[in-house]
Amino acid sequence: MVTRPFNFNPGPSTLPLVALERAQKELLDFEGSGMSILEHSHRGKQYEKVHDQAIALIAELLAVPATHQILFMQGGASAQFGLVPMNLRTDSHAGDYVITDTWGQKAYKEAKTVGKPQVAWDQNKDGVWTRVPKQAELKLSPDAPYLHYTTNNTIMGTQCFDVPNAGSVPVIADMSSDIMWRPTDVSKFGMIYAGAQKNMGPSGITVVIIRKDLIEKGRTDLPSIFRYAEIAKNNSLQNTITTFSVYLVRNVLEWVKEQGGLPEMERRNTKKAALLYGAIDGSNGFYTCPAETASRSVMNVVYRLPSEELDGKFVAEANKAGLLGLKGHRQVGGIRASIYNAMSLEGVEKLIEFMTKFQKSS
Ligand code: PMP
């Protein structure tokens, strides 16, 4: 049995041990077939069952309504930055963009390469955002084909807890770093997309949940492999899918379900974040968060020490103590503890213990 460190990486990130152990157990002989799931055809019955199970688990956990379809795509969330406007823009408008982090900014920049997006809100000051906007601050255009925003800002450590109201304009959310952190009313969204590598599994697969009328309305002036309509028609099997990534998503989501589903994830995540922010706020200013309190993320806790030198020392000593992946993104520096669904309460408690000791010895 290997000793697992506590892995606070932002993605790929820690996975539930049982999901990995199941993969290990099944790797050489998938369900008595004598072959690995890695060797099965993406069109064979063994893989098909896994594919359908993964989709059914997403549908069940998020209570996806019949108005929406679940797709698996490749190219990461970054590919969706381009595919959303490629499929859904009009000739005069490529969406309103709420920019709350580098990722939302990238999405906006990609939309600009194919059409004419507009900025609905952007607090950017020298590459730093410290909060998310209030509804009243959004500059919305009534003729926008969609409103795009990022639910959780992985780099800045902020999170939007309310879905923006854009009237009849469909809301599209990049949920890469907080999908399934709690129950979500999917009916409020025209489309949701998320790379799997934080809360759902390994890298290599992106989950798209899209309203069927938007699929039908999608543009046709782009190659078929990039069209939502084509992928939907083929149940995401229009070409060779990353079968092993989907297989692992299936394993991870079964774990989520067994643990009690998204209400239980919310209970755990809220507790972990409250403990960690509590330790930061109780440190007499030794640890501080750049994010405004009301916008603090439950998934990526970003904070810093009194100097860059201490930040570096903290990360180095934490590594030695088996607490990995805590270095903040180069854009904000400091520390980032990514505490996704699979990070245990024990991991967060160990981190807090380490923080207290480190402060005392500094
Ligand atoms: N959006 C968000 C919110 C992210 O955190 C990331 C990756 N960290 C991306 C998009 C880009 O994802 P990918 O690497 O899957 O393209």
Side-chain angles (χ1 to χ4, degrees), residues 75-79 81 103 150 152 154 174 176-177 195 197-198:
S78 300
F81 294 166
W103 294 113
T150 316
N152 183 67
T154 326
D174 173 0
S176 290
S177 52
Q197 67 268 24
K198 298 163 197 302

Side-chain angles (χ1 to χ4, degrees), residues 89-120:
R89 76 181 187 283
T90 60
D91 289 337
S92 59
H93 205 312
D96 281 339
Y97 280 74
V98 181
I99 304 176
T100 45
D101 191 349
T102 316
W103 294 113
Q105 187 181 54
K106 282 200 176 162
Y108 170 72
K109 283 185 182 161
E110 292 292 80
K112 261 171 94 170
T113 67
V114 290
K116 299 182 192 101
Q118 289 187 23
V119 175

